[in-house]
Amino acid sequence: MRLCFLVEEQYRHDGMPLEVIHQLRAWGHRVDVLWPGRSLIRISEAVQAGSHDAWVLKTVSGGPGLTLLEAAASVGLTTVNDVRAIRGVRDKALAAVIARGKGLPVPVTYAAARPEEFAEIAEAEFPLVVKPADGSSGRAVRLVATPDRLLEPGGPAGPDGSAGGLLIAQPYVPNSGTDLKVYSVAGELYATERCSPLHPAHAVRERQVPLTPEVARITAEIGAVFGLDLYGVDILLGPDGPVVVDINDFPSFRQVPDAVARVSAAVLDLARNGARGRDAFATGQAGATAAPPSPFTASSVPRPTRPAASIGGGR
């Protein structure tokens, strides 16, 4: 197969996706790599119908790679994930509306262009978690205890007081200081614990953990709602149950056993069969009635030998 990976500067030395690219090449597939952040791209020639079996994006939110991926989709090329699904989760304000509209456990979300606007929120809803709507990798995430601390140094506002883009705020969910990151690799689910960016002093050993049935159900529903195949979900275990606080397309898949082989094989399967988001959006359902993705089945690809995390186990 012939694949094209769009890799932005932040990930030029990252194992995801570079090790996946090496693995696919080792299996005999042709992989072209475009670097949107540091090279001239002859876009009229690079993006042509039939040029590749699929395009794969590893980019920061708001990076130029997403435009190139959309260009590939516009001429009928398969994208991993489906480009409309990526747009749906890259904008955290949009993602919150879509998720809550489908009954997923997402906090009440407020949006504003300037942090001081959040002072209109009732003080009883503080502390708030404030972050850029287009943020990634925990960038500029703040825990704001009271309205009078919205403009303290270190926040997301620029020199003129503006955020340089939309901000979102959500009431803080009391938790142990441990985030649960759940990964989906074309339908197979894996979970890890890690330290919350809001509680950096809390010592947490990053490790794979079992999934409860409730968390597994929520994670699978997110894939169906957004039309995603390769994704990660950040979940907090709050006093009223699991709460979804972030969704990421093509994450790091850290602590997933045999991650490179699993993700590489999933990319091949999606390139052959198409990402599920394409059919979901084409029917106007955006995952509301989308069938679950098929596990990757490439007979020529070595299958991982270690099992997925137990979906029925407790924490």
Side-chain angles (χ1 to χ4, degrees):
M1 302 191 77
R2 184 176 179 185
L3 306 166
C4 181
F5 275 68
L6 293 162
V7 183
E8 296 208 13
E9 189 68 13
Q10 179 174 327
Y11 302 105
R12 62 180 297 188
H13 301 299
D14 198 273
M16 281 291 170
L18 298 186
E19 292 180 16
V20 171
I21 292 169
H22 296 326
Q23 181 66 84
L24 291 168
R25 286 172 173 167
W27 286 341
H29 301 280
R30 176 172 175 178
V31 182
D32 298 321
V33 182
L34 298 179
W35 307 91
R38 61 185 180 101
S39 61
L40 173 67
I41 297 173
R42 294 179 175 84
I43 189 169
S44 299
E45 298 176 9
V47 182
Q48 296 182 31
S51 62
H52 296 85
D53 295 291
W55 282 43
V56 185
L57 175 66
K58 181 66 175 178
T59 181
V60 294
S61 292
L66 188 51
T67 296
L68 295 174
L69 197 75
E70 290 176 326
S74 74
V75 298
L77 295 171
T78 294
T79 63
V80 179
N81 291 278
D82 183 276
V83 71
R84 290 153 294 185
I86 295 174
R87 278 290 186 193
V89 297
R90 287 296 175 90
D91 185 330
K92 299 182 188 302
L94 174 61
V97 171
I98 294 172
R100 282 182 64 88
K102 295 297 183 181
L104 290 162
V106 175
V108 171
T109 304
Y110 301 89
R114 300 164 65 94
E116 60 263 35
E117 304 298 337
F118 294 129
E120 296 183 24
I121 299 173
E123 190 165 357
E125 295 197 54
F126 283 74
L128 296 177
V129 177
V130 180
K131 54 190 173 183
D134 66 348
S136 60
S137 302
R139 175 177 60 86
V141 178
R142 291 180 64 207
L143 182 61
V144 181
T146 55
D148 60 299
R149 303 183 68 175
L150 283 165
L151 292 179
E152 285 187 347
D160 63 348
S162 68
L166 194 66
L167 297 170
I168 66 168
Q170 298 171 324
Y172 172 74
V173 177
N175 65 90
S176 66
T178 300
D179 283 358
L180 187 64
K181 171 76 93 173
V182 187
Y183 297 110
S184 177
V185 184
E188 295 187 0
L189 304 181
Y190 309 85
T192 64
E193 286 183 338
R194 65 177 61 176
C195 180
S196 167
L198 297 176
H199 301 282
H202 182 68
V204 177
R205 181 175 65 89
E206 188 173 329
R207 63 192 180 100
Q208 187 179 358
V209 296
L211 278 165
T212 65
E214 184 178 17
V215 170
R217 175 186 57 78
I218 291 169
T219 303
E221 286 182 3
I222 286 172
V225 165
F226 287 92
L228 292 164
D229 296 287
L230 296 171
Y231 62 98
V233 182
D234 290 354
I235 292 178
L236 297 178
L237 300 180
D240 298 320
V243 178
V244 176
V245 292
D246 203 7
I247 306 169
N248 301 285
D249 63 280
F250 210 112
S252 65
F253 299 103
R254 284 155 54 182
Q255 301 297 322
V256 172
D258 301 308
V260 173
R262 292 180 187 274
V263 173
S264 299
V267 167
L268 291 177
D269 186 61
L270 294 168
R272 291 188 179 99
N273 301 315
R276 70 159 145 183
R278 179 169 55 185
D279 293 334
F281 281 98
T283 60
Q285 298 299 310
T289 59
S294 301
F296 47 80
T297 55
S299 59
S300 61
V301 174
R303 294 303 301 269
T305 57
R306 282 180 278 179
S310 170
I311 290 182
R315 285 174 53 84

